[in-house]
Amino acid sequence: MTGYRPFGRTGVQVSPLCLGTMMFGPRGNPDHDDAVRIIHHALDSGINFVDTADVYSAGESETIVGKALAGGRRDNVVLATKFHGALGADVNEQGNSRRWIVREVENSLRRLGTDWIDLYQVHRPEPGTDFDETLGALTDLVRQGKIRYIGTSTFEPSAIVEGQWIAERRGRERVVAEQPPYSLLARGIEREVLPVAQRHGLAVLSWSPLAGGWLSGRYRTGGGQPASSRAERQAARFDVSSPENAAKLAAAEALARLADEAGLTLVQLALAFVLEHPAITSAIIGPRTFEQLDGQLGADKVTLSRDVLDRIDEIVPPGVNLSARDAGYTPPALADSALRRRHACPPAGGG
């Protein structure tokens, strides 16, 4: 692992590669002992930053991370987790309300086997909940010593700015980090999210740098539809026959050829590209196996030439997401047609 990077303006230093643990548990690698060994291998290789979430395998991922950090490893790890997603049948066992946050942080602390969380992140926006309500609860947790810093994930630029405004005007703890999707195939955050993060001194830890597996090297022209657990859960996102996915497949093929010419694997090219952007603090890798982890370790040592970066811009232009699904979040103004129509009518045949 090469030199550590400043985590925004907090004074904390983190590794350029952050170990994501979404694939530990039933949705990926269900073997706890094997997952613990993978986490230990990552830590022994110099990674000091681990990211998880309460909804990853319904809390089981946090439990695995807690096992891996037991026995004296916790103190040297910057530990991040998230809240927001539904974790029960009750309507209030989810979301960004104070009621849920103060309850769920205790559950995460218990599963992780720790007294504090370094970075507690709002996993997705919730426009129906006043962001001051959320920041107020998180501020209390910081002052109680249960969390150290506040982060967001997949927030729109305006929401990022709103968080900074609320902190300044209402005396809340400041959001210090944003976690957006970013890859060679999903460059939309280059337009506003990354410049806004730089303007406010936020750390940025990007998720899905391999575009959900599209940049793993398995998706190649003429190779058919690769089988994967993600493709089973999100068929539309991985169907190679759809027009937008056909564009991703063509781009992945061109990028694989470019990687070959540069003497790199496609995985190395993809991770090095993400880490090249000056706004990016860490890229979150999400291995399921030892082999996948070893294929990603060392990518932070790769430096891409200007010619290679120019070629990448020709294949996927800056600021472009080849698929709208890869944005990770659709604002209500786009998801709900009634919000765009002054005189919304019920569907034909409705009452």
Side-chain angles (χ1 to χ4, degrees):
M1 187 65 55
T2 58
Y4 295 89
R5 297 183 173 189
F7 190 69
R9 295 200 291 255
T10 65
V12 174
Q13 300 285 314
V14 295
S15 49
L17 296 179
C18 172
L19 180 67
T21 64
M22 186 177 73
M23 299 307 293
F24 297 151
R27 70 185 298 173
N29 184 345
D31 186 327
H32 284 212
D33 291 339
D34 189 50
V36 166
R37 286 192 292 269
I38 293 171
I39 294 172
H40 286 172
H41 182 41
L43 300 181
D44 293 342
S45 299
I47 289 177
N48 75 338
F49 196 6
V50 176
D51 177 76
T52 185
D54 59 359
V55 292
Y56 294 166
S57 294
E60 196 165 332
S61 172
E62 286 186 328
T63 298
I64 292 170
V65 171
K67 290 180 179 180
L69 298 185
R73 287 186 177 262
R74 169 68 185 94
D75 286 349
N76 295 324
V77 169
V78 179
L79 180 58
T81 191
K82 315 177 197 73
F83 67 90
H84 169 81
L87 275 172
D90 188 276
V91 67
N92 288 312
E93 291 181 305
Q94 61 184 309
N96 301 345
S97 70
R98 172 181 288 272
R99 185 180 192 275
W100 178 238
I101 292 167
V102 298
R103 174 182 168 187
E104 183 56 8
V105 72
E106 299 295 343
N107 293 330
S108 285
L109 288 168
R110 172 178 48 79
R111 289 187 293 257
L112 290 165
T114 185
D115 294 327
W116 83 99
I117 294 163
D118 292 295
L119 179 66
Y120 201 38
Q121 302 160 100
V122 190
H123 207 161
R124 287 294 186 276
E126 190 170 71
T129 302
D130 188 345
F131 200 22
D132 184 51
E133 159 98 357
T134 303
L135 286 183
L138 293 171
T139 295
D140 289 345
L141 294 179
V142 170
R143 294 172 183 174
Q144 292 166 17
K146 294 181 179 180
I147 67 175
R148 299 292 188 257
Y149 302 107
I150 300 167
T152 55
S153 178
T154 323
F155 270 46
E156 296 286 291
S158 59
I160 295 173
V161 173
E162 180 187 6
Q164 300 297 304
W165 184 93
I166 290 172
E168 178 182 342
R169 300 297 179 89
R170 301 182 182 175
R172 307 303 192 188
E173 288 289 323
R174 193 174 73 91
V175 173
V176 303
E178 162 62 11
Q179 184 180 142
Y182 187 42
S183 73
L184 286 163
L185 304 182
R187 302 182 60 177
I189 65 168
E190 292 174 343
R191 289 182 176 271
E192 288 192 82
V193 170
L194 293 182
V196 165
Q198 287 177 296
R199 190 173 307 129
H200 292 282
L202 271 63
V204 178
L205 47 157
S206 60
W207 57 268
S208 203
L210 300 184
W214 282 90
L215 299 172
S216 65
R218 297 175 62 229
Y219 285 80
R220 300 297 295 264
T221 302
Q225 179 76 56
S228 74
S229 59
R230 288 186 180 182
E232 291 174 4
R233 293 192 305 270
Q234 304 172 4
R237 188 182 176 196
F238 293 92
D239 179 6
V240 296
S241 65
S242 73
E244 60 184 15
N245 287 341
K248 289 169 64 172
L249 184 62
E253 180 71 25
L255 291 165
R257 291 196 297 269
L258 176 60
D260 288 341
E261 293 171 13
L264 303 170
T265 66
L266 180 55
V267 167
Q268 290 172 329
L269 179 75
L271 292 173
F273 167 79
V274 169
L275 292 171
E276 175 67 26
H277 198 290
I280 297 295
T281 306
S282 298
I284 300 174
I285 58 174
R288 181 176 52 82
T289 65
F290 269 98
E291 292 73 21
Q292 290 174 355
L293 175 60
D294 281 335
Q296 296 172 67
L297 290 174
D300 55 310
K301 300 179 178 68
V302 174
T303 300
L304 302 180
S305 69
R306 177 175 294 184
D307 288 344
V308 168
L309 292 168
D310 288 345
R311 291 274 301 281
I312 289 171
D313 286 350
E314 293 171 2
I315 296 168
V316 181
V320 170
N321 285 348
L322 294 183
S323 170
R325 291 187 179 90
D326 291 338
Y329 173 71
T330 303
L334 299 182
D336 186 351
S337 62
L339 298 177
R340 302 191 301 274
R341 300 169 184 175
R342 186 179 300 273
H343 304 293
C345 299

